[in-house]
Amino acid sequence: MNKIPALSPTVLLAVALLIYPLIFSGAFYLDVGVTFLLAAISASAWNIVGGYAGQVSVGHAMFFGLGAYAPLLCYKLYGWTPMAGIPFGIAASVALAILIGIPTFRLTGHYFSMATIAVAELIRIYFGTWDLVGAAIGLQGPATARGWWDLTFRSELPYYYIFLTVLAVLLSFTYLMERHRFGYYLRAIKVGERAARSLGVPVQQTKIRALVLSAMFTSVAGSLYSVKTGFIDPESGFGILVSVQMVIIAALGGAGRLYGPLIGALILIPLQTATNTWFGGGGTGLTFIVYGGIIVLIARYEPGGIYDLWEQISPRRWRRKHAS
Amino acid sequence: MLLEAHAVSKSFGDFFAVRDANLSVGEGEIVGLIGPNGAGKSTFFNCLAGDAVPTSGKIIFDGQDMTKAPPEAHARLGIGRTFQVPATFEGMSVIDNVMVGAFLRHPHQGDARDHASRIIELTGLKAQMDLAAHSLGTPGRKRLEIARVLATNPRLMLLDESLAGLTPTELQEAIRLVRKIHEMGITIVIVEHIMEVIMTLAGRVLAFNQGHVIASGRPEDVVKDEAVIEAYLGRGSHRVRRRSA
Ligand SMILES: Nc1ncnc2c1ncn2[C@@H]1O[C@H](COP(=O)(O)OP(=O)(O)OP(=O)(O)O)[C@@H](O)[C@H]1O
Ligand SMILES: [Mg+2]
């Protein structure tokens, strides 16, 4: 009796996502679906450290980019299936996360946010001049599949279900995290670091663990992206828009909420697709305007995102409906 | 001695907020700290809790040198503290706040929840268990701070004006709670402006003024001390109750 109301939105959502490609089977809608899933995965990965722990990274593209380059680099250098590069991307991202976390989490204030922007930009610029990774031109994957293991499909449908599986795994992980000591510690750190420490919370170590986990999943998102598109360059891997999109999607839906990033992606991706379709090439400039507008709206009206807004409204609606 | 502070000083620039303060607390004691506003009581507490590193001096807890140890190490060893301005985790529910403390000794969620529930019952917060901390008001949040610290199973609790701003009935209840905590075998150091609290609870009192310990001893003697009366400057040693900062 108790569990059903909490469970049913999850079931509805799962069913909706599972049957979406069967209803909207056109290439365009499928592409929107895949883009949505990738955005939801990236933002949910960001959410672990940016939302739950409140350590706002504006440079998560560094992990996305490493994850994106690794598969295509493995293919280029050794002719391996791009999939083989995924663990290398994760390893590199974990190492980078620890390297950034140790010095910046010691400091308070916005040092972490600033450091992440700087590091992501440095990596982007460096990759743009590094011949091994194709410099400014970037890397390409196999043009045609040598077998299923290349994960190179002509249809978007397989990608849709692969991405959906990854999203489900990530959200299940986050769900368990929320209920574990680690999740409580993250929320405590977010609202009151000083009080958390006084209760014995190992703040520094907990933040680093959050960043490492977040980096791992972001790296996987990057790998999924490059395996699917079969192409990566410094801008699409490490560009500031990649980082900012994760922040905006999570904040729009509700940072530090399980379904926040998913809700955010559900709104932003169709909106972005629409502006890109209507305005063609000028769409990229428009993306910045849309992002800027969303930042202003969140900052001004609802810092908790749509999720909190809904929570404020829905209990009242519920009470009215169930008033005896 | 459970806690010993030797000649602890803390300065901010040229200004000494605490100067050469000595304190030793035996297991099972309740020690009161009094003194006018800005005397250095909270700063001294911060040094004892690892929240501030003393400029000089030494702090020993249960035989271990804690002078430079971080606050989380203090919590692990059994020193718990409340904040003068409540620092509850605002967006989180009362039970979740207490669970953060409970996790220190109970890593598993179920155990932590059970332990936190017991503490919530003990501290009289059961009715508010599922409310968000910010909906509690200052007295409730101070009680929640006590509960949260209690959940870490401390041996020593440092209470910084946890009983300030209560109505007379709430005050009696809070005094009973502190007694109960003391009966559990927890040693207490309490900062309080309300003399009634100090007189009824503390077995021994230290008076601070301008960073210095100006008197110490039995509460009834300290409030009669010339220097202490001087420090409170005509406000009358029995009527130094004032609104909380
Ligand atoms: N971080 C700081 N930087 C500079 N000065 C400080 C700092 N913290 C405290 N002080 C100063 O140190 C002195 C002692 O402050 P403290 O808060 O310890 O006093 P207190 O005895 O707790 O007073 P109250 O009864 O008002 O709580 C005050 O003059 C205060 O302004
Ligand atoms: Mg004080």
Side-chain angles (χ1 to χ4, degrees):
Chain A
M1 190 60 203
N2 233 336
K3 267 189 178 158
I4 295 160
L7 200 69
S8 62
T10 305
V11 171
L12 278 176
L13 195 74
V15 170
L17 289 175
L18 275 169
I19 62 171
Y20 172 86
L22 309 178
I23 298 167
F24 301 95
S25 53
F28 174 76
Y29 289 107
L30 215 47
D31 188 56
V32 173
V34 169
T35 310
F36 155 75
L37 287 174
L38 189 74
I41 294 168
S42 308
S44 297
W46 177 92
N47 201 26
I48 295 173
V49 70
Y52 285 94
Q55 308 299 309
V56 177
S57 160
V58 197
H60 253 48
M62 67 177 109
F63 309 122
F64 186 90
L66 287 177
Y69 268 85
L72 301 192
L73 191 62
C74 274
Y75 171 73
K76 179 195 163 184
L77 293 180
Y78 313 110
W80 294 347
T81 158
M83 259 201 298
I86 296 175
F88 292 102
I90 292 175
S93 295
V94 167
L96 185 60
I98 293 170
L99 248 118
I100 290 176
I102 287 174
T104 54
F105 283 148
R106 232 178 264 284
L107 309 160
T108 48
H110 296 292
Y111 289 101
F112 175 68
S113 301
M114 280 159 31
T116 50
I117 300 178
V119 172
E121 277 299 282
L122 281 175
I123 297 178
R124 183 184 64 83
I125 292 163
Y126 183 71
F127 268 57
T129 60
W130 190 13
D131 286 329
L132 182 78
V133 296
I137 295 158
L139 295 173
Q140 275 181 335
T144 49
R146 296 163 298 175
W148 66 267
W149 59 87
D150 267 344
L151 293 188
T152 305
F153 310 110
R154 213 167 280 149
S155 157
E156 300 253 359
L157 199 65
Y159 295 117
Y160 183 93
Y161 284 107
I162 292 171
F163 288 16
L164 187 58
T165 309
V166 173
L167 180 64
V169 169
L170 174 51
L171 291 181
S172 310
F173 175 85
T174 312
Y175 176 86
L176 291 176
M177 184 192 85
E178 273 186 347
R179 273 141 197 84
H180 195 265
R181 175 171 73 171
F182 181 60
Y184 280 80
Y185 278 4
L186 292 185
R187 285 192 291 154
I189 288 170
K190 181 179 184 171
V191 272
E193 206 172 308
R194 188 170 171 223
R197 292 186 76 182
S198 81
L199 296 171
V201 176
V203 169
Q204 170 89 351
Q205 183 198 324
T206 307
K207 282 183 188 171
I208 291 176
R209 277 173 67 193
L211 181 61
V212 164
L213 286 167
S214 176
M216 286 172 68
F217 283 111
T218 309
S219 179
V220 170
S223 298
L224 294 178
Y225 172 78
S226 72
V227 168
K228 180 198 158 265
T229 54
F231 170 77
I232 193 72
D233 68 3
E235 200 51 48
S236 55
F238 296 107
I240 185 89
L241 267 187
V242 177
S243 300
V244 171
Q245 197 195 56
M246 292 183 219
V247 183
I248 288 191
I249 287 177
L252 178 65
R257 302 300 197 143
L258 180 62
Y259 289 130
L262 200 131
I263 295 167
L266 210 50
I267 294 160
L268 190 76
I269 297 304
L271 189 69
Q272 207 169 289
T273 312
T275 51
N276 283 347
T277 320
W278 290 332
F279 299 98
T284 319
L286 208 66
T287 304
F288 279 106
I289 296 172
V290 170
Y291 284 7
I294 290 171
I295 291 172
V296 170
L297 284 178
I298 295 169
R300 174 70 183 80
Y301 294 105
E302 193 49 67
I306 286 167
Y307 198 102
D308 273 18
L309 191 68
W310 171 250
E311 280 217 324
Q312 284 168 20
I313 305 165
S314 61
R316 255 176 265 149
R317 286 166 42 117
W318 191 86
R319 246 181 270 138
R320 222 180 290 141
K321 257 196 269 174
H322 295 257
S324 49
Chain B
M1 281 294 139
L2 185 62
L3 176 76
E4 277 175 281
H6 297 291
V8 168
S9 297
K10 176 71 190 176
S11 61
F12 301 104
D14 296 339
F15 173 73
F16 276 84
V18 177
R19 187 148 216 177
D20 290 329
N22 291 299
L23 167 72
S24 36
V25 183
E27 189 117 43
E29 268 195 285
I30 300 184
V31 177
L33 294 189
I34 60 168
N37 290 65
K41 306 176 298 290
S42 294
T43 307
F44 187 51
F45 256 34
N46 288 341
C47 291
L48 297 179
D51 217 16
V53 178
T55 314
S56 62
K58 208 169 191 180
I59 295 163
I60 313 283
F61 178 74
D62 196 24
Q64 292 196 50
D65 187 346
M66 299 298 285
T67 317
K68 294 199 168 108
E72 49 271 41
H74 284 72
R76 273 199 301 275
L77 272 183
I79 303 177
R81 65 88 54 95
T82 64
F83 295 90
Q84 182 172 350
V85 178
T88 44
F89 305 123
E90 300 295 40
M92 294 167 72
S93 67
V94 167
I95 176 93
D96 285 358
N97 265 269
V98 180
M99 278 176 74
V100 173
F103 274 123
L104 183 62
R105 316 279 179 212
H106 306 272
H108 294 289
Q109 198 240 15
D111 301 343
R113 184 173 292 276
D114 291 345
H115 184 61
S117 304
R118 279 196 298 276
I119 300 289
I120 280 177
E121 194 129 354
L122 185 84
T123 48
L125 284 163
K126 200 164 178 209
Q128 291 102 313
M129 193 157 104
D130 294 315
L131 295 180
H134 60 74
S135 63
L136 245 50
T138 307
R141 283 155 77 222
K142 292 203 164 187
R143 187 165 278 246
L144 176 55
E145 279 221 344
I146 294 178
R148 212 169 54 168
V149 177
L150 209 50
T152 65
N153 289 358
R155 294 175 63 192
L156 169 71
M157 266 175 92
L158 308 169
L159 303 178
D160 196 350
E161 300 197 26
S162 294
L163 275 56
L166 303 183
T167 65
T169 346
E170 288 169 339
L171 187 65
Q172 291 312 316
E173 238 172 80
I175 289 176
R176 268 199 299 278
L177 175 60
V178 175
R179 282 234 172 85
K180 221 184 318 178
I181 293 169
H182 184 233
E183 278 158 20
M184 291 163 66
I186 297 169
T187 308
I188 293 168
V189 181
I190 180 168
V191 169
E192 206 37 86
H193 283 284
I194 309 162
M195 277 305 145
E196 187 189 347
V197 172
I198 295 291
M199 301 301 273
T200 47
L201 286 174
R204 199 152 58 82
V205 172
L206 259 70
F208 270 75
N209 190 34
Q210 297 181 347
H212 295 273
V213 178
I214 52 167
S216 69
R218 298 189 313 155
E220 49 274 31
D221 297 336
V222 170
V223 292
K224 285 191 212 117
D225 189 286
E226 286 293 322
V228 175
I229 295 168
E230 182 81 4
Y232 279 102
L233 218 65
R235 270 190 270 175
S237 60
H238 287 281
R239 282 186 285 119
V240 286
R241 166 200 283 243
R242 39 126 242 175
R243 63 177 178 80
S244 83

